[in-house]
Amino acid sequence: MSTVTSPSTSSAPGRRPARRSRWWAEVGWKYPVAVVVLVYATFPLLYIVSASLNPRGSLAGSSALFSAVSADNYAALGDTRFWTWMGNTVYVGGAAAIGAVLMGAAAAYAFSRFRFRGRRVGLTSLLVIQMFPQTVAFVAVFLLLLALGEVVPALGINSRIALICVYLGGALGANTFLMYGFFNSIPVELDESAKIDGASHAQIFWRIVMPLVTPVLAVVALLAFISAFGDFILARIVLTSEENWTLAVGMYQWVSNQLTSRWGIFAAGSVLASIPVLALFLSLQRYIVGGLTAGSVKG
Amino acid sequence: MAQGTLVASRESHARGWRGIGWGFVVKLVLMAVVNALGVAAILAAWQAESWVVLGAMAALLAVADGVYFSRRALPLKYLLPGLAFLAVFQVFVLGYTAYVAFTNYGTGHAGSMGQAVEAALIQDERRDPDSPTYPLAIVERDGELGLAIVDADGDVRAGTATSPLETVGGASLGSSGAPETVPGWTVVPRADVLTDSALQEEIAALRVAVSVDPEDGSVRTREGSTGAVYTSSLAWDEQSQTFTDAETGTVYEPSDDGRFVAADGSALPTGWYVGVGFDNFVRAVTDARLAGPLLQVTLWTFAFAILTVLTSFGLGLLFAIIYNDPRVRGRKVLRTLMILPYAFPAFMSALLWRGMLNSEFGVVNDLFFFGAEINWLGDPVLAKLAVLWVNLWLSYPYWFLVCTGALQALPADTLEAATIDGAGRWRRFRSIVLPLLLVSTAPLAISSFAFNFNNFTIIYMLSGGGPAFVGNSGLGATDILISAIYQISGVSGGAADYGLASALSIVVFVVIGVISALAFRQTRKLEEFQ
């Protein structure tokens, strides 16, 4: 950049220290800082891995990292309901993700490809509605499910299907815009040529558009899964019996009452549950960041 | 040209009949399933006399059939499933919140007037002095506990909490005179009743109506071997809509606030919900018990959301600027490690930090404060700092990612021109980088603010809203509005006040609405879909 300095330091003996000090000033200091940043970022995660491997299993004495290594805590998970909750989480999150993708994709297709009366109004109202999160209206969700449960128990309190339905209620608002933009980037000429060849609108949707938008489908599915995975308030209200809980509700119950004694089990559970999410997140990172900046935000 | 004539000689294949096709079959099957489920639900609603649900189901089903079997309304075919869920579980729920906010729905006002009458008759029950005791056995059917008695005629009659007593033929009596076998029921062995305390409690709470008329009273048992009839001393007068206490002669009349009140001011414990206008909103600012804590909670909610956005944006931007340098090696690894907190599920992070910040055994005190017992989550100021610190840990990677992306999209020539003009690092940052960056990140900052405004998980999991305020409001120093609403609503047990909770939800919605309106004007997102 600053080429002015280089001729003046052309003499061989003075050159090296000058270069080195400039390197330190511009680049070198970033490495020690990076160490500090990494400690901040990863220490809690290292700690939880260490705690999960600590056979004492309590919060007391888990401070010395990796002082003892055993799989006791992981084995102890088998005696708890952890795997039931894991199954419930995958079931609820998976169903919510698939539903969100199908509904969102269908809606985005309609908004992107058809021109109909009320299209603009529809898009605007979706944008407005999605700004009011369901979680704030949890009292009404609770009362609604109480009433529905008296008619159809499968849609009432303590039903996983009811929870999935609640999540799907937010599917259109949260995802349509993310997908809408992506659908618009697929050239309409493809549809038109298919239409001329005699394809129906359903064939165009399933056979032509959907395969082309798979990246955005994957991202929406993952985002929907992660948000169901991490949701506590709605799951806590809807799922009342222990065998129906998701991980968020169950693991909270573990540590809210006996934080210090069940620490090892909690640590093992969170390592097991977070690894798949971490792996998926990191591998789809690029797309997810695009999605997050376009739509919903975690923090 | 030759090809053209060839095609023209054949009939256009668009006209060719190719059968009904798989798509149609799939549609037919799906619609059959939807219709079957819908009709079943409508019948169930009819049975439960739930007219609103019935109407909504019927309307939804009619719309679905109309849309999918008509040749028109093509866009609706794609929009309907999502719209149906949106309408019921979001739009309706929002409207219902607004409705409940203007009622006194909650503990003591939990149902309609009819339900309150029934509940009053049940709750007031006391043992009928004329009632004989009946030999009794605990029975079970389909997992539901019931009672079987031998009545004065020697007949065995059995029922559960939901179905009144009915005579059962073919039952046999044991040596104690209680039923020993009851056809269609499993008799719970006496030994189980004596040893299982949870079962005992259930039995003590069990009441089986003598007949469909609540005024006939119900059978209860104290010890599981004899039962007696309990009746209500209250008599309900359908005509005048009043209760009369047979013993004292007190008359209870329905009042405007949904309770049965006597002339001397005493009221029956169960009421029903009625509209109360702006009472809930007024109560939130005037009730001495609530107003103070709620004001603090509101201020902290804003402080929490604003500070979280500012700190995490600042830190993320700082890191992005530092490490957006091609001369730093291993940037990819660095980046991946730096965003790990973001990929770790948020509820687990909050619980993890809750353990790490434990004053006695927490690793933070042990390793970084030389074993000092700093009560991070027990002191109002420290708890607020801890919440902000943890949320910073959770959120800065997001801003790091966003800012890195935005920095790479900055126009290089503008920066170069500034450098040539002699602008220093700080000058370039202040006058070029930051303004350009803010254009693309301001909308995200606003939605991040809205998100953190309602960030229930982090507060509830990390500090539980505590430490609690002095007084019995149930709220604490780190409670934000949504966790306060959760506390007040009583959905997780305790005294429920759905009306007040919904009123506060409305306040939150108004705040979000104002912020969103600002965001709207900022982003002009609407211009994107012409």
Side-chain angles (χ1 to χ4, degrees):
Chain A
M1 268 195 272
S2 51
T3 45
V4 195
T5 49
S6 22
S8 65
T9 55
S10 57
S11 56
R15 185 171 174 165
R16 274 221 183 129
R19 253 201 183 174
R20 184 167 295 172
S21 73
R22 220 187 68 183
W23 180 83
W24 260 109
E26 289 192 358
V27 185
W29 63 276
K30 295 184 176 179
Y31 291 106
V33 171
V35 172
V36 177
V37 173
L38 288 187
V39 169
Y40 179 50
T42 57
F43 175 76
L45 302 175
L46 272 181
Y47 168 70
I48 195 96
V49 173
S50 148
S52 77
L53 294 169
N54 191 326
R56 289 175 67 173
S58 70
L59 187 59
S62 61
S63 298
L65 294 191
F66 300 104
S67 54
V69 173
S70 89
D72 287 2
N73 290 320
Y74 290 91
L77 282 179
D79 304 330
T80 67
R81 296 223 186 218
F82 178 79
W83 293 109
T84 318
W85 299 337
M86 183 76 121
N88 289 338
T89 309
V90 171
Y91 169 69
V92 171
I98 293 170
V101 164
L102 289 180
M103 286 176 188
Y109 176 67
F111 281 126
S112 162
R113 293 309 204 248
F114 302 131
R115 292 290 175 273
F116 51 93
R117 234 173 9 139
R119 175 174 165 276
R120 247 192 102 99
V121 177
L123 274 169
T124 316
S125 22
L126 264 188
L127 201 62
V128 173
I129 291 169
Q130 65 136 12
M131 293 186 178
F132 299 98
Q134 274 173 312
T135 44
V136 182
F138 63 88
V139 174
V141 170
F142 176 73
L143 296 175
L144 170 67
L145 293 186
L146 273 185
L148 274 180
E150 279 174 25
V151 177
V152 189
L155 288 179
I157 292 292
N158 201 20
S159 150
R160 290 172 298 171
I161 295 177
L163 185 60
I164 294 169
C165 288
V166 174
Y167 290 153
L168 288 183
L172 214 51
N175 302 318
T176 306
F177 284 92
L178 183 55
M179 295 186 154
Y180 174 71
F182 204 94
F183 274 58
N184 279 346
S185 71
I186 307 287
V188 195
E189 286 76 14
L190 283 176
D191 305 26
E192 282 166 358
S193 64
K195 205 183 275 172
I196 290 166
D197 284 348
S200 69
H201 62 88
Q203 280 169 327
I204 294 173
F205 176 65
W206 288 108
R207 300 236 187 113
I208 294 173
V209 177
M210 285 295 257
L212 288 173
V213 296
T214 12
V216 79
L217 300 186
V219 170
V220 165
L222 186 65
L223 287 178
F225 183 84
I226 287 181
S227 83
F229 188 96
D231 171 63
F232 176 74
I233 188 163
L234 291 172
R236 175 77 182 76
I237 290 166
V238 175
L239 306 173
T240 49
S241 75
E242 211 175 328
E243 71 267 12
N244 278 340
W245 283 349
T246 57
L247 278 176
V249 185
M251 289 177 70
Y252 171 72
Q253 225 67 23
W254 269 353
V255 288
S256 69
N257 303 328
Q258 309 152 313
L259 174 81
T260 49
S261 59
R262 313 201 71 164
W263 191 242
I265 288 191
F266 165 73
S270 48
V271 168
L272 278 185
S274 63
I275 282 178
V277 182
L278 276 174
L280 269 174
F281 189 93
L282 292 179
S283 58
L284 288 173
Q285 198 201 104
R286 263 184 317 142
Y287 305 106
I288 291 176
V289 173
L292 286 169
T293 47
S296 57
V297 191
K298 176 174 158 190
Chain B
M1 287 313 282
Q3 244 181 349
T5 49
L6 192 71
V7 171
S9 68
R10 286 197 304 181
E11 191 185 24
S12 156
H13 57 243
R15 282 191 183 180
W17 171 250
R18 287 171 299 160
I20 48 175
W22 276 107
F24 185 74
V25 174
V26 170
K27 177 168 121 180
L28 212 58
V29 170
L30 281 178
M31 286 313 290
V33 172
V34 166
N35 272 300
L37 289 177
V39 169
I42 287 170
L43 290 178
W46 178 275
Q47 287 240 301
E49 297 182 14
S50 196
W51 308 124
V52 180
V53 178
L54 189 145
M57 297 258 187
L60 271 178
L61 196 61
V63 171
D65 280 326
V67 166
Y68 288 106
F69 286 116
S70 96
R71 285 186 169 278
R72 310 182 42 177
L74 187 54
L76 257 186
K77 286 185 170 66
Y78 285 90
L79 288 171
L80 192 68
L83 283 183
F85 278 99
L86 185 78
V88 176
F89 290 101
Q90 186 136 15
V91 177
F92 173 78
V93 158
L94 294 182
Y96 195 48
T97 305
Y99 166 73
V100 174
F102 292 97
T103 69
N104 60 359
Y105 205 163
T107 303
H109 301 274
S112 63
M113 191 169 171
Q115 286 167 319
V117 168
E118 209 166 294
L121 288 175
I122 290 166
Q123 284 196 355
D124 192 57
E125 276 178 350
R126 52 199 77 169
R127 187 168 167 184
D128 194 341
D130 312 327
S131 158
T133 54
Y134 303 107
L136 166 144
I138 313 298
V139 291
E140 193 190 353
R141 184 174 62 183
D142 303 333
E144 198 181 6
L145 276 184
L147 301 174
I149 60 159
V150 185
D151 70 7
D153 307 330
D155 288 338
V156 172
R157 300 174 67 196
T160 66
T162 49
S163 59
L165 289 179
E166 273 176 33
T167 308
V168 184
S172 71
L173 302 185
S175 53
S176 64
E180 195 173 55
T181 61
V182 185
W185 299 78
T186 324
V187 176
V188 179
R190 184 104 185 98
D192 288 6
V193 179
L194 291 176
T195 53
D196 188 342
S197 62
L199 185 64
Q200 280 167 13
E201 267 177 45
E202 233 180 296
I203 292 166
L206 188 63
R207 53 176 295 285
V208 178
V210 173
S211 70
V212 284
D213 183 359
E215 287 191 27
D216 278 353
S218 56
V219 174
R220 294 190 190 190
T221 176
R222 287 200 189 285
E223 72 305 295
S225 60
T226 56
V229 172
Y230 287 62
T231 52
S232 174
S233 62
L234 290 174
W236 171 242
D237 188 342
E238 189 77 57
Q239 216 81 62
S240 63
Q241 300 273 300
T242 56
F243 271 118
T244 311
D245 192 317
E247 285 172 16
T248 61
T250 320
V251 177
Y252 295 91
E253 284 181 13
S255 71
D256 286 342
D257 65 345
R259 289 180 308 162
F260 289 107
V261 186
D264 62 356
S266 64
L268 295 180
T270 47
W272 60 100
Y273 63 85
V274 291
V276 293
F278 283 93
D279 265 18
N280 289 318
F281 296 91
V282 172
R283 205 146 51 92
V285 286
T286 56
D287 186 337
R289 196 178 65 90
L290 275 171
L294 272 180
L295 180 67
Q296 291 204 43
V297 164
T298 312
L299 292 178
W300 166 240
T301 310
F302 278 98
F304 167 73
I306 292 172
L307 287 174
T308 292
V309 175
L310 286 184
T311 53
S312 56
F313 180 77
L315 195 65
L317 176 61
L318 183 71
F319 289 167
I321 290 176
I322 293 178
Y323 295 105
N324 189 35
D325 182 343
R327 290 170 298 178
V328 177
R329 290 188 199 165
R331 276 187 308 149
K332 239 183 173 170
V333 179
L334 198 64
R335 203 172 99 126
T336 308
L337 288 174
M338 271 167 79
I339 61 166
L340 277 181
Y342 187 59
F344 194 68
F347 76 90
M348 284 181 195
S349 316
L351 291 174
L352 165 63
W353 277 96
R354 186 190 182 129
M356 288 174 62
L357 291 170
N358 186 293
S359 66
E360 226 177 313
F361 312 114
V363 69
V364 171
N365 280 342
D366 269 5
L367 287 190
F368 301 106
F369 292 91
F370 311 106
E373 289 205 6
I374 304 171
N375 197 0
W376 291 105
L377 298 173
D379 177 82
V381 178
L382 286 180
K384 285 182 178 170
L385 281 179
V387 165
L388 286 174
W389 171 263
V390 173
N391 216 15
L392 173 65
W393 182 79
L394 268 169
S395 337
Y396 86 86
Y398 169 73
W399 289 110
F400 171 69
L401 286 173
V402 167
C403 290
T404 304
L407 282 179
Q408 285 167 355
L410 286 183
D413 45 356
T414 316
L415 282 171
E416 207 173 326
T419 317
I420 290 168
D421 285 350
R425 221 179 261 182
W426 172 245
R427 180 80 208 186
R428 272 180 305 192
F429 173 74
R430 208 169 48 107
S431 306
I432 301 177
V433 176
L434 196 59
L436 284 177
L437 209 68
L438 281 179
V439 170
S440 56
T441 51
L444 299 176
I446 289 168
S447 54
S448 170
F449 172 84
F451 176 84
N452 280 300
F453 200 81
N454 298 312
N455 200 341
F456 178 81
T457 310
I458 179 102
I459 299 289
Y460 194 75
M461 297 264 188
L462 182 61
S463 67
F469 289 133
V470 201
N472 57 352
S473 60
L475 307 178
T478 53
D479 259 322
I480 56 173
L481 276 170
I482 188 160
S483 65
I485 295 171
Y486 184 79
Q487 188 65 39
I488 289 168
S489 72
V491 285
S492 61
D497 195 337
Y498 305 137
L500 180 59
S502 299
L504 292 175
S505 299
I506 297 296
V507 173
V508 173
F509 281 139
V510 169
V511 172
I512 298 175
V514 170
I515 295 164
S516 305
L518 292 177
F520 242 14
R521 287 175 57 181
Q522 273 281 331
T523 60
R524 304 192 185 280
K525 212 169 185 175
L526 283 168
E527 286 176 11
E528 281 176 23
F529 42 86
Q530 297 303 328

